[in-house]
Amino acid sequence: MPPSSVRPATVMTDPGATPVSALPGVGPALAEALGRLGLERVQDLWFHLPLRYEDKTRVTAIADLRPGERAQVEGVIEAVERGFRYRPQLKVAIGDDSHQTLMLRFFHFHRAQSEQLQPGARLLCYGEVRQGAQGLEMVHPQYQRLSGDEPVTVDELLTPVYPTTEGLGQKRLAGVIAKALALLPPDAQLELIPQELCQAHGLTSLREALLYVHRPPPDAHLGQLTTGRHPSQQRLAFEELLTQHLSLKRMREAVRRRHAPRLGGNGEFRKRLLGSLPFGLTGAQQRVSVEIAGDIAQPQPMLRLVQGDVGSGKTIVAALAALAAVESGYQVALMAPTELLAEQHLNHFRHWLTPLGLEVVWLAGKVTGKARQQALARVAAGAQVVIGTHALMQEGVAFAQLGLVIVDEQHRFGVQQRLSLRDKGADHESGLVPHQLVLTATPIPRTLAMSAYADLDVSAIDELPPGRTPVQTIAISNARRFDVIERIHAACLEGRQAYWVCTLIEESEQLRAQAAEVAHAELSAALADCRIGLIHGRMKPKEKQAVMGAFKAGELSVLVATTVIEVGVDVPNASLMVIENSERLGLAQLHQLRGRVGRGAIASNCVLLYQPPLGQLARERLQVMRETNDGFRIAEKDLELRGPGEVLGTRQTGQLSFRIADLARDAHLLPAVQEVGAHLLARHPQAAERLITRWIGGAARFVHA
Ligand code: ADP
Ligand code: MG
């Protein structure tokens, strides 16, 4: 009897659901290795997409090699050198008909290998070309020896390179995937997006797309494939983005099905706060406040992200939302990522709310012992507002009646943290969950907001308070450091205040603090007639508070700081910012730091000190900073230069790791993704579920747990 007739019936109906172990040649060991990659069913193999391709379909002349490219080269060994200076090394120089030499370097090699690689031997190698000290080189290329005048045979197809795991080689993995692809059913069975939607959005055959990316034909355009712009890749990227969108939407629906208290009383507290402010709200602040008030008056939990550039005035908007909750007799928790930022909020909120007879409790990680017990007792007794770092949400914090959670600078928290926070505030008796307001100062590019934050509504404070003058930014080489110090001196004598930020990248706060101490000593000596303060992360909260207080009161002319002042610090009179080693910082961080000035009516300046020579990326970043103060443009550029995982700080959570999609590159697909997503959820919820299982599988189950 032929083996096919004894296959279980499921293979015939839904080959994708078949366990990989049912494929010929997949024994327990291989199945286990595949399992480590999350590849359990045949369809997991279909959607295990290549990371990149190797082009061994042709041989490139050494003279035509370009650094950064991967290429196949054929040549004869001209010289071999063994080095031992730092570690054993084998350097093999090969030459070809183009009369150029390429250096192959090996750091790990066995004896047999070094015996094989002798002058005169012919090699066919494949690897990435790098610019070495003595010309072009390849480190650890793949290679094979060619005998005598054996003609070179090149591959006919591009070779896909798959993500894999230890103990599972590319060839073996590709072999299993080929077997799985043999079971790929026709589109009618494979396709989960309804036919009419595929047509409306020009989505081509899924089956063809999968076959193409796994086995590109000989005439495939490598450039297109490498950059992910081939229509087949775009077809798959569309489906992957759609799946992520659906999964976030589903998460949001789950929350929306829960109940939240309706917040918003007679408006008395809000009216009194607004009456006490020295300014009126901007149009954008008013609009966003109205949006929030509308949300929290509903019995479903609000999930709203307020994004506004640095200095756009998010704090007062948050305070108004808090007061709406307080008016209904509910408590508010405000969480910030750093102690310094939380303290600033504490100061603002106490300044605004204490005159209204409200209690604001401080609950940071450093509040310990008796003080912590007391704070916890106040929270349990119903203190209206509680402010702190994430320690706020740690064990032992029991709220009397939490109605609203405000999270500032969200991009520093992962999506997981956001979810756990949401659950922390749930009241088990009433089943009510708090509303959630998320503030972010790093404007999130629209494309990212639409996908990564599909579980949140987004409001933008897209207007700065009146009377601000844009910050003038210049980049100056560290060689002219003394000119800069002179300039600061002159400015301070005129009564201006300056930040001098030290930006050691070192992981240790101790080293960072040291660098700031050195700069403090240098500036104190150079500016003997000015008062210079110092603030860094190693100082006690009380000390930090005292220094910030003195700077705010104008008693200090210069504040030497580490990047602890990056977020939230608000001293409107400060109008000069010097950032040392600015070439080491990312755009988002530079923008945050610069946002510390330009907060008052005084024209402000920012000096980006850099250590030459500048790399290409650093040069681009500094250029962007000089050109614009617009946080949205900077964020877009940041996304382009760094990629979305890092922009959102969610790299570790795995939320944004795509197999084939790239948010920056594929942003143009998102409007259609949203449209198709809405349609699927409304009309074909089961197809949506199956898409999620197909693309996210086990990871989706994890997010739901
Ligand atoms: P961010 O959005 O960066 O958190 P803040 O809430 O710290 O901004 O506000 C920045 C500064 O602008 C603060 O000094 C604040 O008091 C002031 N501010 C906020 N709203 C207005 C307004 N409508 N008019 C004038 N100043 C304002
Ligand atoms: Mg702020």
Side-chain angles (χ1 to χ4, degrees), residues 362-397:
W362 173 234
L363 193 58
K366 299 243 172 70
V367 180
T368 54
K370 213 166 174 188
R372 185 170 170 85
Q373 290 314 315
Q374 272 169 3
L376 290 177
R378 299 302 310 145
V379 177
Q384 285 91 355
V385 178
V386 187
I387 295 180
T389 52
H390 53 273
L392 175 60
M393 287 297 154
Q394 271 162 11
E395 275 164 57
V397 185

mmCIF file of all heavy atoms in Angstrom, residues 362-397:
data_model
loop_
_atom_site.group_PDB
_atom_site.id
_atom_site.type_symbol
_atom_site.label_atom_id
_atom_site.label_comp_id
_atom_site.label_asym_id
_atom_site.label_seq_id
_atom_site.Cartn_x
_atom_site.Cartn_y
_atom_site.Cartn_z
ATOM 1 N N TRP A 362 3.222 60.635 48.049
ATOM 2 C CA TRP A 362 4.471 60.320 47.332
ATOM 3 C C TRP A 362 4.867 58.885 47.645
ATOM 4 O O TRP A 362 5.009 58.509 48.797
ATOM 5 C CB TRP A 362 5.538 61.299 47.798
ATOM 6 C CG TRP A 362 6.945 61.057 47.312
ATOM 7 C CD1 TRP A 362 8.056 60.931 48.087
ATOM 8 C CD2 TRP A 362 7.406 60.973 45.957
ATOM 9 N NE1 TRP A 362 9.172 60.769 47.319
ATOM 10 C CE2 TRP A 362 8.804 60.783 45.989
ATOM 11 C CE3 TRP A 362 6.764 61.033 44.717
ATOM 12 C CZ2 TRP A 362 9.578 60.655 44.840
ATOM 13 C CZ3 TRP A 362 7.546 60.895 43.569
ATOM 14 C CH2 TRP A 362 8.930 60.713 43.633
ATOM 15 N N LEU A 363 5.034 58.090 46.604
ATOM 16 C CA LEU A 363 5.324 56.679 46.830
ATOM 17 C C LEU A 363 6.322 56.166 45.796
ATOM 18 O O LEU A 363 5.960 55.504 44.836
ATOM 19 C CB LEU A 363 4.018 55.879 46.745
ATOM 20 C CG LEU A 363 4.052 54.452 47.250
ATOM 21 C CD1 LEU A 363 4.476 54.399 48.705
ATOM 22 C CD2 LEU A 363 2.682 53.817 47.102
ATOM 23 N N ALA A 364 7.583 56.504 46.013
ATOM 24 C CA ALA A 364 8.611 56.041 45.084
ATOM 25 C C ALA A 364 9.344 54.860 45.707
ATOM 26 O O ALA A 364 9.127 54.526 46.871
ATOM 27 C CB ALA A 364 9.581 57.164 44.778
ATOM 28 N N GLY A 365 10.236 54.249 44.941
ATOM 29 C CA GLY A 365 10.990 53.110 45.438
ATOM 30 C C GLY A 365 11.832 53.461 46.648
ATOM 31 O O GLY A 365 12.074 52.633 47.525
ATOM 32 N N LYS A 366 12.294 54.718 46.701
ATOM 33 C CA LYS A 366 13.177 55.113 47.788
ATOM 34 C C LYS A 366 12.404 55.393 49.071
ATOM 35 O O LYS A 366 13.001 55.587 50.125
ATOM 36 C CB LYS A 366 13.963 56.371 47.376
ATOM 37 C CG LYS A 366 14.827 56.146 46.146
ATOM 38 C CD LYS A 366 16.309 56.312 46.450
ATOM 39 C CE LYS A 366 17.185 55.908 45.278
ATOM 40 N NZ LYS A 366 17.083 56.859 44.158
ATOM 41 N N VAL A 367 11.070 55.461 48.966
ATOM 42 C CA VAL A 367 10.276 55.633 50.184
ATOM 43 C C VAL A 367 10.177 54.273 50.851
ATOM 44 O O VAL A 367 9.546 53.360 50.339
ATOM 45 C CB VAL A 367 8.853 56.160 49.844
ATOM 46 C CG1 VAL A 367 8.034 56.344 51.111
ATOM 47 C CG2 VAL A 367 8.946 57.456 49.064
ATOM 48 N N THR A 368 10.867 54.142 51.998
ATOM 49 C CA THR A 368 10.929 52.815 52.629
ATOM 50 C C THR A 368 10.533 52.914 54.100
ATOM 51 O O THR A 368 10.304 54.006 54.623
ATOM 52 C CB THR A 368 12.360 52.239 52.556
ATOM 53 O OG1 THR A 368 13.247 53.212 53.111
ATOM 54 C CG2 THR A 368 12.766 51.925 51.131
ATOM 55 N N GLY A 369 10.490 51.759 54.720
ATOM 56 C CA GLY A 369 10.268 51.689 56.167
ATOM 57 C C GLY A 369 8.979 52.347 56.592
ATOM 58 O O GLY A 369 7.926 52.162 55.981
ATOM 59 N N LYS A 370 9.111 53.136 57.647
ATOM 60 C CA LYS A 370 7.942 53.737 58.254
ATOM 61 C C LYS A 370 7.220 54.686 57.290
ATOM 62 O O LYS A 370 5.984 54.692 57.212
ATOM 63 C CB LYS A 370 8.386 54.541 59.483
ATOM 64 C CG LYS A 370 7.337 54.508 60.575
ATOM 65 C CD LYS A 370 7.906 54.992 61.880
ATOM 66 C CE LYS A 370 6.788 55.089 62.901
ATOM 67 N NZ LYS A 370 7.260 55.718 64.121
ATOM 68 N N ALA A 371 8.033 55.450 56.536
ATOM 69 C CA ALA A 371 7.441 56.409 55.595
ATOM 70 C C ALA A 371 6.573 55.677 54.580
ATOM 71 O O ALA A 371 5.499 56.138 54.203
ATOM 72 C CB ALA A 371 8.540 57.188 54.887
ATOM 73 N N ARG A 372 7.056 54.514 54.157
ATOM 74 C CA ARG A 372 6.297 53.739 53.177
ATOM 75 C C ARG A 372 4.997 53.222 53.800
ATOM 76 O O ARG A 372 3.932 53.278 53.179
ATOM 77 C CB ARG A 372 7.154 52.581 52.658
ATOM 78 C CG ARG A 372 6.466 51.804 51.550
ATOM 79 C CD ARG A 372 7.403 50.810 50.871
ATOM 80 N NE ARG A 372 6.644 49.928 49.985
ATOM 81 C CZ ARG A 372 6.324 50.221 48.729
ATOM 82 N NH1 ARG A 372 6.720 51.356 48.207
ATOM 83 N NH2 ARG A 372 5.623 49.382 47.995
ATOM 84 N N GLN A 373 5.111 52.705 55.023
ATOM 85 C CA GLN A 373 3.915 52.218 55.716
ATOM 86 C C GLN A 373 2.859 53.311 55.812
ATOM 87 O O GLN A 373 1.675 53.086 55.568
ATOM 88 C CB GLN A 373 4.272 51.722 57.131
ATOM 89 C CG GLN A 373 5.094 50.432 57.147
ATOM 90 C CD GLN A 373 4.539 49.381 56.192
ATOM 91 O OE1 GLN A 373 3.328 49.151 56.147
ATOM 92 N NE2 GLN A 373 5.422 48.789 55.386
ATOM 93 N N GLN A 374 3.348 54.502 56.169
ATOM 94 C CA GLN A 374 2.415 55.627 56.308
ATOM 95 C C GLN A 374 1.774 55.975 54.968
ATOM 96 O O GLN A 374 0.558 56.180 54.880
ATOM 97 C CB GLN A 374 3.151 56.858 56.838
ATOM 98 C CG GLN A 374 3.176 56.889 58.356
ATOM 99 C CD GLN A 374 4.126 57.954 58.884
ATOM 100 O OE1 GLN A 374 4.728 58.703 58.101
ATOM 101 N NE2 GLN A 374 4.280 58.026 60.189
ATOM 102 N N ALA A 375 2.624 56.007 53.933
ATOM 103 C CA ALA A 375 2.101 56.346 52.603
ATOM 104 C C ALA A 375 1.050 55.317 52.177
ATOM 105 O O ALA A 375 -0.022 55.671 51.680
ATOM 106 C CB ALA A 375 3.244 56.399 51.595
ATOM 107 N N LEU A 376 1.366 54.039 52.417
ATOM 108 C CA LEU A 376 0.431 52.980 52.031
ATOM 109 C C LEU A 376 -0.889 53.118 52.783
ATOM 110 O O LEU A 376 -1.968 52.904 52.220
ATOM 111 C CB LEU A 376 1.049 51.601 52.290
ATOM 112 C CG LEU A 376 2.209 51.225 51.365
ATOM 113 C CD1 LEU A 376 2.805 49.874 51.756
ATOM 114 C CD2 LEU A 376 1.753 51.196 49.918
ATOM 115 N N ALA A 377 -0.772 53.490 54.054
ATOM 116 C CA ALA A 377 -1.988 53.662 54.855
ATOM 117 C C ALA A 377 -2.838 54.797 54.291
ATOM 118 O O ALA A 377 -4.068 54.702 54.216
ATOM 119 C CB ALA A 377 -1.608 53.941 56.311
ATOM 120 N N ARG A 378 -2.169 55.871 53.854
ATOM 121 C CA ARG A 378 -2.909 57.003 53.286
ATOM 122 C C ARG A 378 -3.616 56.578 51.981
ATOM 123 O O ARG A 378 -4.740 56.971 51.719
ATOM 124 C CB ARG A 378 -1.974 58.189 52.982
ATOM 125 C CG ARG A 378 -1.235 58.782 54.157
ATOM 126 C CD ARG A 378 -2.152 59.286 55.249
ATOM 127 N NE ARG A 378 -3.199 60.156 54.722
ATOM 128 C CZ ARG A 378 -4.434 60.212 55.198
ATOM 129 N NH1 ARG A 378 -4.814 59.425 56.194
ATOM 130 N NH2 ARG A 378 -5.312 61.034 54.677
ATOM 131 N N VAL A 379 -2.912 55.770 51.175
ATOM 132 C CA VAL A 379 -3.506 55.305 49.921
ATOM 133 C C VAL A 379 -4.734 54.448 50.211
ATOM 134 O O VAL A 379 -5.799 54.622 49.605
ATOM 135 C CB VAL A 379 -2.482 54.490 49.093
ATOM 136 C CG1 VAL A 379 -3.126 53.945 47.820
ATOM 137 C CG2 VAL A 379 -1.281 55.359 48.737
ATOM 138 N N ALA A 380 -4.572 53.538 51.177
ATOM 139 C CA ALA A 380 -5.682 52.645 51.519
ATOM 140 C C ALA A 380 -6.852 53.439 52.079
ATOM 141 O O ALA A 380 -8.016 53.066 51.916
ATOM 142 C CB ALA A 380 -5.213 51.588 52.509
ATOM 143 N N ALA A 381 -6.528 54.559 52.768
ATOM 144 C CA ALA A 381 -7.578 55.366 53.382
ATOM 145 C C ALA A 381 -8.260 56.277 52.357
ATOM 146 O O ALA A 381 -9.211 56.977 52.689
ATOM 147 C CB ALA A 381 -6.995 56.191 54.530
ATOM 148 N N GLY A 382 -7.716 56.300 51.125
ATOM 149 C CA GLY A 382 -8.430 57.043 50.094
ATOM 150 C C GLY A 382 -7.803 58.358 49.669
ATOM 151 O O GLY A 382 -8.481 59.199 49.064
ATOM 152 N N ALA A 383 -6.501 58.554 49.945
ATOM 153 C CA ALA A 383 -5.841 59.775 49.463
ATOM 154 C C ALA A 383 -6.133 59.919 47.972
ATOM 155 O O ALA A 383 -6.100 58.944 47.229
ATOM 156 C CB ALA A 383 -4.339 59.683 49.698
ATOM 157 N N GLN A 384 -6.400 61.154 47.525
ATOM 158 C CA GLN A 384 -6.935 61.321 46.164
ATOM 159 C C GLN A 384 -5.942 60.991 45.061
ATOM 160 O O GLN A 384 -6.300 60.408 44.052
ATOM 161 C CB GLN A 384 -7.442 62.770 45.974
ATOM 162 C CG GLN A 384 -8.752 63.042 46.679
ATOM 163 C CD GLN A 384 -8.551 63.567 48.105
ATOM 164 O OE1 GLN A 384 -7.420 63.638 48.606
ATOM 165 N NE2 GLN A 384 -9.644 63.927 48.754
ATOM 166 N N VAL A 385 -4.682 61.444 45.232
ATOM 167 C CA VAL A 385 -3.713 61.224 44.161
ATOM 168 C C VAL A 385 -2.462 60.574 44.731
ATOM 169 O O VAL A 385 -1.991 60.963 45.807
ATOM 170 C CB VAL A 385 -3.347 62.554 43.457
ATOM 171 C CG1 VAL A 385 -2.299 62.319 42.368
ATOM 172 C CG2 VAL A 385 -4.589 63.208 42.860
ATOM 173 N N VAL A 386 -1.941 59.586 44.038
ATOM 174 C CA VAL A 386 -0.715 58.912 44.451
ATOM 175 C C VAL A 386 0.266 59.033 43.299
ATOM 176 O O VAL A 386 -0.067 58.707 42.158
ATOM 177 C CB VAL A 386 -0.969 57.421 44.733
ATOM 178 C CG1 VAL A 386 0.270 56.784 45.319
ATOM 179 C CG2 VAL A 386 -2.160 57.255 45.646
ATOM 180 N N ILE A 387 1.483 59.513 43.611
ATOM 181 C CA ILE A 387 2.471 59.712 42.550
ATOM 182 C C ILE A 387 3.733 58.939 42.887
ATOM 183 O O ILE A 387 4.159 58.920 44.039
ATOM 184 C CB ILE A 387 2.796 61.210 42.391
ATOM 185 C CG1 ILE A 387 1.537 61.937 41.912
ATOM 186 C CG2 ILE A 387 3.946 61.434 41.403
ATOM 187 C CD1 ILE A 387 1.705 63.420 41.709
ATOM 188 N N GLY A 388 4.319 58.305 41.904
ATOM 189 C CA GLY A 388 5.564 57.593 42.160
ATOM 190 C C GLY A 388 6.140 56.989 40.903
ATOM 191 O O GLY A 388 5.676 57.243 39.795
ATOM 192 N N THR A 389 7.187 56.205 41.112
ATOM 193 C CA THR A 389 7.774 55.458 40.002
ATOM 194 C C THR A 389 7.015 54.138 39.912
ATOM 195 O O THR A 389 6.018 53.944 40.597
ATOM 196 C CB THR A 389 9.265 55.194 40.266
ATOM 197 O OG1 THR A 389 9.375 54.609 41.555
ATOM 198 C CG2 THR A 389 10.052 56.480 40.217
ATOM 199 N N HIS A 390 7.542 53.227 39.105
ATOM 200 C CA HIS A 390 6.800 51.972 38.941
ATOM 201 C C HIS A 390 6.662 51.207 40.252
ATOM 202 O O HIS A 390 5.816 50.346 40.381
ATOM 203 C CB HIS A 390 7.441 51.109 37.871
ATOM 204 C CG HIS A 390 8.896 50.882 38.112
ATOM 205 N ND1 HIS A 390 9.859 51.751 37.669
ATOM 206 C CD2 HIS A 390 9.520 49.925 38.790
ATOM 207 C CE1 HIS A 390 11.033 51.321 38.048
ATOM 208 N NE2 HIS A 390 10.861 50.217 38.732
ATOM 209 N N ALA A 391 7.498 51.572 41.237
ATOM 210 C CA ALA A 391 7.378 50.947 42.556
ATOM 211 C C ALA A 391 5.969 51.143 43.093
ATOM 212 O O ALA A 391 5.476 50.367 43.909
ATOM 213 C CB ALA A 391 8.386 51.566 43.518
ATOM 214 N N LEU A 392 5.358 52.197 42.585
ATOM 215 C CA LEU A 392 3.990 52.516 42.976
ATOM 216 C C LEU A 392 3.064 51.325 42.803
ATOM 217 O O LEU A 392 2.148 51.107 43.572
ATOM 218 C CB LEU A 392 3.532 53.662 42.067
ATOM 219 C CG LEU A 392 2.108 54.147 42.143
ATOM 220 C CD1 LEU A 392 1.816 54.643 43.530
ATOM 221 C CD2 LEU A 392 1.907 55.263 41.145
ATOM 222 N N MET A 393 3.321 50.584 41.745
ATOM 223 C CA MET A 393 2.398 49.505 41.429
ATOM 224 C C MET A 393 2.871 48.170 41.980
ATOM 225 O O MET A 393 2.342 47.131 41.641
ATOM 226 C CB MET A 393 2.251 49.405 39.914
ATOM 227 C CG MET A 393 1.436 50.530 39.353
ATOM 228 S SD MET A 393 -0.234 50.465 39.996
ATOM 229 C CE MET A 393 -0.704 52.180 39.867
ATOM 230 N N GLN A 394 3.930 48.227 42.774
ATOM 231 C CA GLN A 394 4.426 46.964 43.296
ATOM 232 C C GLN A 394 3.552 46.452 44.427
ATOM 233 O O GLN A 394 2.663 47.120 44.912
ATOM 234 C CB GLN A 394 5.879 47.103 43.747
ATOM 235 C CG GLN A 394 6.825 46.817 42.591
ATOM 236 C CD GLN A 394 8.203 47.362 42.856
ATOM 237 O OE1 GLN A 394 8.500 47.779 43.983
ATOM 238 N NE2 GLN A 394 9.032 47.380 41.835
ATOM 239 N N GLU A 395 3.891 45.258 44.834
ATOM 240 C CA GLU A 395 3.082 44.582 45.842
ATOM 241 C C GLU A 395 2.820 45.438 47.070
ATOM 242 O O GLU A 395 3.616 46.274 47.444
ATOM 243 C CB GLU A 395 3.817 43.323 46.298
ATOM 244 C CG GLU A 395 3.543 42.155 45.385
ATOM 245 C CD GLU A 395 4.557 41.069 45.632
ATOM 246 O OE1 GLU A 395 4.648 40.634 46.782
ATOM 247 O OE2 GLU A 395 5.255 40.706 44.668
ATOM 248 N N GLY A 396 1.723 45.176 47.653
ATOM 249 C CA GLY A 396 1.405 45.827 48.915
ATOM 250 C C GLY A 396 0.705 47.155 48.756
ATOM 251 O O GLY A 396 0.295 47.763 49.732
ATOM 252 N N VAL A 397 0.558 47.627 47.507
ATOM 253 C CA VAL A 397 -0.149 48.886 47.326
ATOM 254 C C VAL A 397 -1.622 48.570 47.067
ATOM 255 O O VAL A 397 -1.973 47.996 46.054
ATOM 256 C CB VAL A 397 0.414 49.694 46.143
ATOM 257 C CG1 VAL A 397 -0.272 51.051 46.053
ATOM 258 C CG2 VAL A 397 1.909 49.856 46.288
#
